[in-house]
Amino acid sequence: MQISRRTLMMGGAALLAAPALPRRVLAQATAQLGTMTIEMLSDGNLVLPRDFILGPMPEPEAEAILSARHVPAGPLMPPCNLTLLRHQDRVVLFDIGSGPDFQPTAGLLPQTLDAIGLAPEDITHLVVTHGHPDHIWGMLDDFGDPFLPNAEILMGRAEFDYWMDPNTVSSIGQARTAFAVGAQRRLEAIADIVTFFEDGAEILPGVAARLTPGHTPGHMAFELRDGSESLMVTGDSLGNDHVAFARPDWHSGSDQDQPLAATTRISLLDQLVADQMRIAGFHLPGGLGRVERDGAGYRFVTEG
């Protein structure tokens, strides 16, 4: 199946009309962080044209990095990993996945929750990293109601305001117009039940927000800490396990502000190595791991 950048950015309509690729539930990874339990839940995977990420990069060098990491030719198929935090009496989900309307290989959260014995009603908090389709389009059920009926929704004020700004649809660029329209429809439906926060806020006990802009204007990562142990939920500030680590200074086609996103990546990777902080990555294989220096760059090491 040929997938162009245009069909992806127009919201996946062409993909939905085509025969679905196999929908995979990836292996579940778990970690203990003091009294916190972290589980990685699969929402499936995306199917992306290579130039969606690699477009602005020097092609021979980028392809060499992918080849060294055994990434096959053809479309990129990054996993979509949602982070679930169980802490005290809270069951917290970071991002909610694609739902049924983005790509046929994604939107597996309902099945994944069922497989681990959780109902949507069991989730007490939904924390949003940013407003892209694979992170928030699963917010609403078939009736337009919140898929997580009992969850308090927490979202950075700057990110919410960006997607709700009427000018975003016209200024974001034609290729991403469907992203903005889809975000506005979902955020309008839940606007009255959102709790907003700013950079640096402790949004829940042991959960602090960190502004990581560039991928989107108000993108947030979240530092989970219990005593001396910590873990960063990175969202899409680290969007893959190959070029984002090997050459964080390169601009990525997936980022809305490419120079700012590169600056954010470098700063974040430096911190993660210096603090020896584990990470939970939305598009990283296995979801959980750590960052190590690798020559002039970095590498992602999956926790097995």
Side-chain angles (χ1 to χ4, degrees):
M1 178 169 56
Q2 295 297 314
I3 303 166
S4 69
R5 182 185 178 90
R6 178 174 175 81
T7 57
L8 169 78
M9 302 301 285
M10 291 301 290
L15 293 173
L16 291 169
L21 294 172
R23 292 160 65 91
R24 300 177 295 144
V25 176
L26 303 182
Q28 181 179 323
T30 62
Q32 200 68 33
L33 195 72
T35 61
M36 296 178 170
T37 300
I38 293 99
E39 301 170 64
M40 303 307 294
L41 308 184
S42 176
D43 194 51
N45 66 278
L46 300 183
V47 182
L48 305 174
R50 284 174 103 76
D51 71 348
F52 180 71
I53 291 173
L54 306 183
M57 302 177 187
E59 183 177 1
E61 292 91 336
E63 288 294 347
I65 291 170
L66 268 65
S67 177
R69 285 156 178 77
H70 309 291
V71 178
L76 300 174
M77 299 187 184
C80 298
N81 306 303
L82 308 177
T83 302
L84 185 80
L85 167 65
R86 302 180 196 250
H87 185 222
Q88 299 172 353
D89 59 348
R90 288 174 288 275
V91 183
V92 183
L93 189 63
F94 293 83
D95 292 331
I96 198 167
S98 297
D101 297 329
F102 186 48
Q103 290 197 1
T105 52
L108 296 185
L109 178 61
Q111 299 96 305
T112 302
L113 287 176
D114 184 64
I116 65 169
L118 278 180
E121 292 79 7
D122 297 327
I123 307 299
T124 62
H125 298 80
L126 170 63
V127 178
V128 177
T129 64
H130 67 293
H132 278 167
D134 49 331
H135 295 257
I136 69 163
W137 277 22
M139 275 187 172
L140 305 181
D141 63 18
D142 292 339
F143 301 97
D145 297 322
F147 174 67
L148 305 177
N150 299 327
E152 178 184 352
I153 301 174
L154 299 99
M155 186 171 184
R157 168 64 77 176
E159 184 73 1
F160 181 90
D161 288 350
Y162 171 74
W163 292 107
M164 293 300 291
D165 184 342
N167 294 321
T168 295
V169 172
S170 58
S171 64
I172 198 173
Q174 183 177 4
R176 296 179 189 256
T177 298
F179 284 20
V181 172
Q184 285 187 8
R185 181 171 80 82
R186 288 156 178 86
L187 295 178
E188 283 175 354
I190 54 88
D192 292 341
I193 58 173
V194 177
T195 298
F196 297 107
F197 58 85
E198 307 292 341
D199 180 31
E202 185 177 34
I203 62 170
L204 293 167
V207 180
R210 170 170 175 181
L211 181 64
T212 44
H215 185 68
T216 61
H219 185 286
M220 288 283 182
F222 301 93
E223 181 177 331
L224 280 51
R225 182 172 292 276
D226 192 339
S228 63
E229 298 185 76
S230 61
L231 176 145
M232 187 77 75
V233 178
T234 61
D236 279 4
S237 55
L238 298 172
N240 57 73
D241 67 315
H242 34 79
V243 288
F245 285 78
R247 290 301 304 261
D249 56 315
W250 282 352
H251 294 179
S252 171
S254 65
D255 296 326
Q256 288 180 220
D257 185 332
Q258 295 176 10
L260 179 58
T263 298
T264 293
R265 270 192 301 277
I266 294 168
S267 174
L268 183 59
L269 287 165
D270 283 346
Q271 177 196 348
L272 294 169
V273 169
D275 295 349
Q276 297 184 341
M277 190 182 301
R278 298 152 81 188
I279 61 175
F282 193 90
H283 292 305
L284 304 182
L288 290 173
R290 66 183 189 278
V291 182
E292 294 181 350
R293 292 201 181 274
D294 186 14
Y298 304 83
R299 63 172 172 265
F300 173 66
V301 180
T302 303
E303 290 188 1

